[in-house]
Amino acid sequence: MDSILVTGNGPLSGQIPIAGAKNACLTLMPATLLSDEPLTLTNAPRLSDIRTMTLLLQSLGAEVQALNDGQVLALSSHALTSTRAEYDIVRTMRASIRVLGPLLARHGEAQVSLPGGCAIGARPVDLHLRAMEALGAEMDLRDGYVHAKAPAGGLRGGVVRFPLVSVGATENALMAAVLARGTTVLENAAREPEIVDLAQCLRKMGARIEGEGTSRIEIEGVDRLGGATHRVVTDRIELGTYMLAPAICGGEVECLGGRIDLLQAFCEKLDEAGISVEETAAGLKVARKNGRVRAVNVVTEPFPGFPTDLQAQMMALLCTAEGDSVLEEKIFENRFMHAPELMRMGARIDVHGGTARVRGVEALRGAPVMATDLRASVSLILAGLAAEGETVVSRVYHLDRGYEHVVRKLRGVGAKIERIKGE
Ligand code: UD1
């Protein structure tokens, strides 16, 4: 297994290009199942999660071609051969549940394996299932699979009231509703930019949707959808991660393609911590010019709040802040597994349930550490960039799921980082 060697060094400077959003792409790709005409996605990120979704769609009989070094995905579902998403693929990536809505909407049935356990908490799929039921589907759980069946004549519009905000369940419900008969209203819908991106793509395919980006989305079902070409929105989590690199190490880095509206709450916290963020013609310029970062308190929330997917990276920054910071994780239980690893590097962190208190220290020291999930692994790299000495982050396959060319991008701004090939 490969690992990453990071040697702490001084200020960073230069530019980092930000890729298309992994999470948007993972929900745009299954949208191909809604139409027999081609869907072309541009600005796709080159990641192992995208390859997993490719395999899943291919297992259903869809054609998926990666062009232009993987940045363009040409998808077509004119001849599906299966409506069954197998355990072998689903267990490796929870986002697989996103094929449920489109399969059910276009083919009237779907069997999707239950995703099973996950390192950052239980993460059930009950909200996805309830949304499909609200559109008239019959759901049955057998042999570890969800067996879903639409009524004769297909799904019908309905009111879906989510008891809590779920990105994935909103996406599944939206994709199911675009081909349902009549009007569907999604209440307490998620408002993430990736949902806005999905709605925009579906509209290009001929869907009738209003209200995306608000908590009430209204969909008027249509008989069929056509093809489209769509550019995947910027990855706000990759953006926030790289914005933290100069915040931690000092210096000035311009993140190309960055937009403040994707990360308003996060940018406000950086400002409070003493980091400057400036909009430029090409993206966002981030700088920490003098002094130590100030401690700040962070509560993770659904969009437009502070994203849970940036909590681990923010913690890495706050480890060397002046004063105590409190991070409250409200989206996922058990999402502080990076804390004990950061403590191996000299951080002082107390975790109690969903709250972590970080007492800022002058400096971190390099150490061998282990990545436990995608965002945790990149937080350890960020910490290593600022630590004294060498840090070796093992289990980097987590990183490959969500960060393309991480070594190349960070080297480009002067970081000392290399990938060490495993046995
Ligand atoms: C998506 C993102 C993930 C991000 C998360 C929260 C993708 C591919 N992944 O995940 O990176 O961390 O949003 O911003 O886009 N829940 C239920 N029942 C359900 C579904 C969810 O109880 O049926 C709970 C979850 O356990 C969690 C909360 O709802 O506590 C939010 O999860 P959700 O927004 O659904 O996350 P994902 O869509 O899985």
Side-chain angles (χ1 to χ4, degrees):
M1 254 184 260
D2 293 2
S3 50
I4 290 201
L5 169 66
V6 192
T7 311
N9 66 325
L12 305 177
S13 97
Q15 297 178 318
I16 300 183
I18 305 301
K22 168 182 85 79
N23 287 350
C25 204
L26 287 177
T27 194
L28 289 162
M29 291 173 77
T32 180
L33 301 170
L34 289 164
S35 169
D36 56 7
E37 289 182 33
L39 173 65
T40 305
L41 300 175
T42 62
N43 197 35
R46 278 75 53 92
L47 300 169
S48 65
D49 269 8
I50 301 299
R51 288 189 286 279
T52 305
M53 183 56 85
T54 298
L55 289 177
L56 174 58
L57 293 173
Q58 286 171 337
S59 76
L60 302 172
E63 287 167 22
V64 185
Q65 269 182 292
L67 309 169
N68 195 9
D69 191 28
Q71 288 185 92
V72 174
L73 297 172
L75 305 112
S76 168
S77 300
H78 66 271
L80 288 195
T81 51
S82 165
T83 51
R84 186 177 167 90
E86 297 287 351
Y87 178 62
D88 274 356
I89 299 183
V90 177
R91 73 184 168 85
T92 64
M93 189 180 69
R94 295 184 51 86
S96 307
I97 189 79
R98 282 154 176 80
V99 300
L100 176 65
L103 281 176
L104 199 50
R106 177 148 159 245
H107 299 279
E109 60 165 53
Q111 305 84 46
V112 180
S113 166
L114 286 167
C118 165
I120 59 171
R123 299 183 81 170
V125 293
D126 54 316
L127 301 176
H128 299 250
L129 310 190
R130 275 203 251 163
M132 299 304 123
E133 275 172 348
L135 301 182
E138 269 179 39
M139 313 296 287
D140 188 16
L141 298 182
R142 261 183 288 132
D143 333 314
Y145 280 74
V146 177
H147 294 253
K149 206 163 171 37
L155 294 177
R156 46 174 192 264
V159 177
V160 183
R161 276 189 204 93
F162 293 106
L164 58 94
V165 178
S166 161
V167 177
T170 301
E171 291 168 347
N172 242 333
L174 182 56
M175 286 192 278
V178 289
L179 288 181
R181 276 175 297 136
T183 308
T184 298
V185 177
L186 308 183
E187 288 177 1
N188 199 25
R191 293 181 275 167
E192 269 66 3
E194 293 74 27
I195 288 171
V196 174
D197 204 38
L198 172 64
Q200 285 170 351
C201 177
L202 292 170
R203 208 180 283 124
K204 285 181 202 161
M205 294 167 74
R208 293 173 63 191
I209 303 167
E210 274 177 31
E212 74 274 13
T214 75
S215 52
R216 185 180 188 280
I217 306 180
E218 195 168 317
I219 304 120
E220 193 63 49
V222 295
D223 289 340
R224 62 177 299 278
L225 293 182
T229 296
H230 182 79
R231 182 181 163 84
V232 180
V233 67
T234 298
D235 195 318
R236 65 196 163 97
I237 306 301
E238 192 198 26
L239 170 65
T241 301
Y242 288 126
M243 287 171 75
L244 284 169
I248 287 187
C249 299
E252 184 173 276
V253 168
E254 187 177 23
C255 293
L256 304 176
R259 281 168 27 205
I260 285 190
D261 65 304
L262 295 173
L263 280 177
Q264 191 73 47
F266 172 77
C267 290
E268 281 164 18
K269 287 295 163 188
L270 287 190
D271 183 53
E272 233 182 286
I275 307 298
S276 96
V277 179
E278 185 197 326
E279 279 185 299
T280 63
L284 295 179
K285 198 177 266 181
V286 185
R288 185 178 64 128
K289 291 190 174 117
N290 41 37
R292 261 172 89 181
V293 167
R294 291 190 291 269
V296 294
N297 296 336
V298 171
V299 181
T300 64
E301 283 169 337
F303 192 85
F306 191 101
T308 174
D309 285 351
L310 284 171
Q311 178 259 108
Q313 303 89 311
M314 191 71 181
M315 186 186 280
L317 172 74
L318 297 175
C319 286
T320 52
E322 196 151 18
D324 291 6
S325 306
V326 176
L327 293 109
E328 241 182 291
E329 174 55 59
K330 294 256 191 168
I331 309 289
F332 294 114
E333 74 229 52
N334 199 17
R335 205 178 193 180
F336 285 131
M337 273 119 44
H338 41 283
E341 298 300 312
L342 290 168
M343 286 159 77
R344 292 174 51 75
M345 301 175 70
R348 291 164 67 197
I349 306 167
D350 299 308
V351 176
H352 290 290
T355 303
R357 176 176 290 274
V358 181
R359 286 176 290 159
V361 295
E362 286 268 342
L364 296 177
R365 292 178 308 276
V369 287
M370 198 184 281
T372 46
D373 68 54
L374 169 57
R375 308 304 171 185
S377 61
V378 85
S379 78
L380 298 172
I381 290 182
L382 287 175
L385 289 176
E388 290 160 4
E390 292 187 343
T391 297
V392 178
V393 184
S394 55
R395 295 203 181 166
V396 292
Y397 54 84
H398 291 295
L399 201 67
D400 298 332
R401 294 186 49 195
Y403 290 90
E404 65 169 39
H405 306 313
V406 66
V407 168
R408 196 197 295 171
K409 287 186 183 187
L410 284 170
R411 274 190 180 197
V413 292
K416 290 189 188 151
I417 174 167
E418 61 185 287
R419 189 169 180 124
I420 303 168
K421 286 268 160 227
E423 319 283 84

